Amino acid sequence: MSDGVFNVPVPVNEPVYDYAPGSSERTAIAFRLEQMHAEEIEIPVIIGGREIRTGNTAQVVSPHDHGHVLATCHQAGADEVAAAVKASADAWHEWSTMSWESRAAIFLKAADLLSGPWRTTLNAATILNQSKTVFQAEIDSACELIDFWRFNVHYADQLMREQPASSPGIWNRSEYRALEGFVFAVSPFNFTAIAGNLPTAPAIMGNTVLWKPATTALLSGYYVYKLLEEAGLPPGVINFLPGKGAQVGDPVIADPGFAGVHFTGSTPVFHGMWQNIGNNIARYRSYPRIVGETGGKDFVFAHPSANLEVLATALIRGAFEYQGQKCSAASRAYVPSSLWPSLKERLADQIGSIKMGTPLDFSNFMAAVIDESSFDKISSYVDEARSDSRYELVAGGGCDKSAGYFIQPTLVVSEDPKSRLMSEEIFGPILTLHVYDDARIDEALDLCDTTSPYALTGAIIGDDRAELDSLTKRLRHSAGNFYINDKPTGAVVGQQPFGGSRASGTNDKAGSAMNLLRWTSVRSIKENFVPPTSFAYPHMD
Ligand code: NAD
């Protein structure tokens, strides 16, 4: 209880540093990278604020230098899950009834710590462990995560101010309660910001959380946890459970206290989890909230009126930044035959000039893909493009995993608009493109809408305003995040709430009030100031 109605600070997006030569941020990150590259740390399981060393360990390495060990990590199993369920239940009452401003202050402090003293640590961890270039790390592990924390506090505050009408003599109130039980947060490797958001969005709404980070992003995950601890997050509110998917996931989902899952990752894993939840439905104390943002086969559709430079830039940045490992990465494109000859030349030239290598060399635009199984999967698509005559390999195609998992930015033309490369999520630096006849643009739009089961992001490029309107309507359900004359990546918290539909997820829009609504169970309270004292109604006189 507080004697005051407080306003949380109005959030603004965190400014992005550019790390140009001579800048102070460049000096700071170079120093921190050197320090962290030279050390090898131990990452424990953390339950109820206590560090647990299970002895069942795995190595955390740099994808661009896979012989280089960054950490040894202890992995959780069924015993640790049981302990974490208990720790979260022990923390639940105090956390879910803590005054809102105290809870909010923890996440606002976390945002300021990350904006200041923790920025280089989280960025360096993301560069070293997830092989992001310095700029890709900055927009993810610094700016987006800071934005998630500041904007989610603001949205939660707005939600709680959403109150019902009251009639004379009556006061109606909505109370935004935490879910009864715990939320299971399961994060992917590719965004430190998502890893930080998945456990904290439910925690902001008063829930306690079991968090399973991705096994290939444990260094940044661990430091996110340590930062939250420094910000004042009480023990047991978020429990850190590194470990193998099903070994952690199955016992969590079988627990009666399971109240929801906040997942981001691939579509098949989410399907499996949903099925598992269905099988356990009779065990739960309440119906669990199921929130999942999943895979994509994101498109760029070029109209014949497209500006070639705009189109080439959207394709290259959209497809190859972070090695194509953004869920929103441009992975298929539809280009009119009238533009293709000049676009082909431009793309081949520009792709040929892309520098790839270790992210410790800041002049590189691309680094390595995340691990060996990703490398093998992506290179099998390259092999297919080489061996099947329906494809033409226009640029790239080189794959080398001897020192790091490097795959060149690759451009493939597919004669068959429904080929595997045009329809499956590859999650790597391969852009597949289909050239359509300008006169048959309607058919091309149908192909764009129906070729893949996903509907995450998409972009249209063109200068004809009336045509842009008609394409926007035509592709209404093809993407949850839709871009006009821009690349399909780079959503900003507070500006383009993120999420897709169809096989791309439940579209609960990360970093928005829509997402936070899933983590609360509202109690409607009616208070009658002058209650009736007789059961008779006037019409009975
Ligand atoms: P993934 O599905 O392999 O793993 C995601 C997480 O699920 C990891 O922590 C993993 O350990 C865990 N997991 C795996 N099996 C599990 C199980 N049985 N029970 C519980 N947890 C389990 O995904 P990834 O390779 O880390 O990330 C890439 C995928 O994520 C791509 O498909 C990409 O499109 C998607 N993604 C989507 C969005 C979005 O907003 N839509 C954002 C980022 C990534």
Side-chain angles (χ1 to χ4, degrees), residues 105-189:
I106 291 169
F107 298 99
L108 292 174
K109 178 170 179 174
D112 277 3
L113 287 174
L114 180 49
S115 174
W118 276 83
R119 194 180 198 108
T120 50
T121 300
L122 243 72
N123 278 346
T126 303
I127 292 168
L128 291 168
N129 187 196
Q130 286 132 280
S131 210
K132 290 206 170 186
T133 62
V134 70
F135 184 73
Q136 293 300 317
E138 167 74 5
I139 57 176
D140 165 19
S141 43
C143 301
E144 188 174 353
L145 186 48
I146 293 166
D147 288 350
F148 271 133
W149 286 337
R150 289 188 181 142
F151 278 82
N152 276 344
V153 165
H154 165 76
Y155 293 134
D157 190 70
Q158 300 281 303
L159 268 182
M160 288 186 240
R161 288 172 197 272
E162 193 70 33
Q163 293 294 325
S166 295
S167 50
I170 305 287
W171 187 11
N172 293 321
R173 304 191 285 276
S174 288
E175 184 189 10
Y176 293 82
R177 304 170 304 177
L179 307 180
E180 274 190 288
F182 62 84
V183 173
F184 185 31
V186 183
S187 53
F189 77 83

Side-chain angles (χ1 to χ4, degrees), residues 186-190 212 214 245 264-266 293-295 327 425 427 498:
V186 183
S187 53
F189 77 83
N190 66 336
K212 200 207 87 57
T264 300
S266 62
E293 299 306 331
T294 57
C327 47
E425 182 178 52
F427 222 59
F498 193 78

Side-chain angles (χ1 to χ4, degrees), residues 130-372:
Q130 286 132 280
S131 210
K132 290 206 170 186
T133 62
V134 70
F135 184 73
Q136 293 300 317
E138 167 74 5
I139 57 176
D140 165 19
S141 43
C143 301
E144 188 174 353
L145 186 48
I146 293 166
D147 288 350
F148 271 133
W149 286 337
R150 289 188 181 142
F151 278 82
N152 276 344
V153 165
H154 165 76
Y155 293 134
D157 190 70
Q158 300 281 303
L159 268 182
M160 288 186 240
R161 288 172 197 272
E162 193 70 33
Q163 293 294 325
S166 295
S167 50
I170 305 287
W171 187 11
N172 293 321
R173 304 191 285 276
S174 288
E175 184 189 10
Y176 293 82
R177 304 170 304 177
L179 307 180
E180 274 190 288
F182 62 84
V183 173
F184 185 31
V186 183
S187 53
F189 77 83
N190 66 336
F191 276 91
T192 302
I194 296 178
N197 179 51
L198 294 183
T200 53
I204 286 172
M205 297 306 287
N207 296 283
T208 55
V209 178
L210 270 56
W211 171 27
K212 200 207 87 57
T215 44
T216 40
L218 286 174
L219 195 64
S220 53
Y222 173 64
Y223 284 123
V224 167
Y225 182 88
K226 296 305 280 180
L227 187 167
L228 288 167
E229 204 174 63
E230 189 176 320
L233 189 78
V237 172
I238 294 177
N239 299 280
F240 180 71
L241 298 172
K244 297 212 169 62
Q247 278 172 24
V248 175
D250 288 353
V252 171
I253 290 173
D255 193 275
F258 172 78
V261 60
H262 200 193
F263 174 83
T264 300
S266 62
T267 300
V269 169
F270 190 50
H271 278 187
M273 287 172 90
W274 196 307
Q275 225 146 27
N276 209 350
I277 293 166
N279 292 339
N280 282 290
I281 195 70
R283 306 168 73 103
Y284 303 137
R285 284 200 288 275
S286 24
Y287 292 106
R289 304 287 166 94
I290 306 177
V291 175
E293 299 306 331
T294 57
K297 183 71 182 174
D298 310 302
F299 63 85
V300 171
F301 192 98
H303 185 263
S305 65
N307 173 306
L308 273 182
E309 263 122 38
V310 171
L311 177 58
T313 306
L315 287 170
I316 289 187
R317 284 192 169 172
F320 302 130
E321 279 178 343
Y322 192 38
Q323 296 78 262
Q325 298 173 117
K326 299 187 185 188
C327 47
S328 52
S331 178
R332 59 189 166 121
Y334 301 85
V335 173
S337 50
S338 57
L339 296 184
W340 178 232
S342 21
L343 181 70
K344 183 177 186 181
E345 204 177 309
R346 208 172 287 245
L347 285 177
D349 269 6
Q350 292 186 19
I351 293 171
S353 73
I354 289 177
K355 265 194 82 186
M356 182 176 71
T358 169
L360 301 178
D361 173 352
F362 289 2
S363 68
N364 285 322
F365 178 79
M366 284 174 59
V369 301
I370 194 70
D371 63 7
E372 186 165 23

Side-chain angles (χ1 to χ4, degrees), residues 189 322-325 368-385 397-399 405-408 410 420-421 425-431:
F189 77 83
Y322 192 38
Q323 296 78 262
Q325 298 173 117
V369 301
I370 194 70
D371 63 7
E372 186 165 23
S373 70
S374 271
F375 176 93
D376 291 346
K377 179 180 160 196
I378 300 163
S379 48
S380 76
Y381 284 99
V382 176
D383 293 344
E384 182 171 330
C399 306
Y405 304 114
F406 289 103
I407 299 195
Q408 279 182 337
T410 299
R420 256 165 45 89
L421 269 77
E425 182 178 52
I426 298 172
F427 222 59
I430 303 181
L431 172 64

